[in-house]
Amino acid sequence: SIKAIESSSKEDDTTWLTYWVVYGVFSVAEFFSDTFLYWFPFYYAGKCLFLVWCMAPVSWNGSQVLYQNVIRPCFLRHHQAVDNALGNLSTKA
């Protein structure tokens, strides 16, 4: 990520920022479901393969696919409500 930030090309910045957004969403989801998921055989191997797919330097990597098809539409649908809630919290603080 640091190499992407420090490079002159900004395309790799977008790639890594997309990866970190997907990883963050995955980590939050895993936090709440890890109690049940670790009972499944090969869960950690599957998790490792999923994260490698998300980092793969190909156009169809997991980060791009998940961000474009799941996270971005959800964000665009709810971003106004989140902005309003954060605005209300900042005025109350």
Side-chain angles (χ1 to χ4, degrees):
S1 294
I2 292 172
K3 285 190 155 268
I5 292 169
E6 295 299 323
S7 71
S8 59
S9 171
K10 295 302 173 195
E11 183 177 317
D12 55 357
D13 298 355
T14 303
T15 302
W16 281 108
L17 288 173
T18 303
Y19 168 76
W20 286 114
V21 167
V22 170
Y23 182 79
V25 169
F26 173 75
S27 294
V28 169
E30 184 185 37
F31 176 78
F32 292 107
S33 62
D34 195 38
T35 304
F36 305 108
L37 290 177
Y38 79 92
W39 286 96
F40 288 101
F42 305 110
Y43 166 66
Y44 291 106
K47 176 182 172 181
C48 184
L49 289 174
F50 170 75
L51 293 175
V52 168
W53 176 56
C54 286
M55 289 186 286
V58 292
S59 61
W60 47 270
N61 72 11
S63 296
Q64 294 296 325
V65 170
L66 291 172
Y67 181 78
Q68 292 296 330
N69 295 323
V70 178
I71 297 171
R72 187 171 189 270
C74 184
F75 170 75
L76 292 176
R77 196 169 38 249
H78 300 291
H79 82 282
Q80 192 62 39
V82 172
D83 288 345
N84 290 339
L86 290 176
N88 291 340
L89 285 174
S90 66
T91 57
K92 290 180 181 179

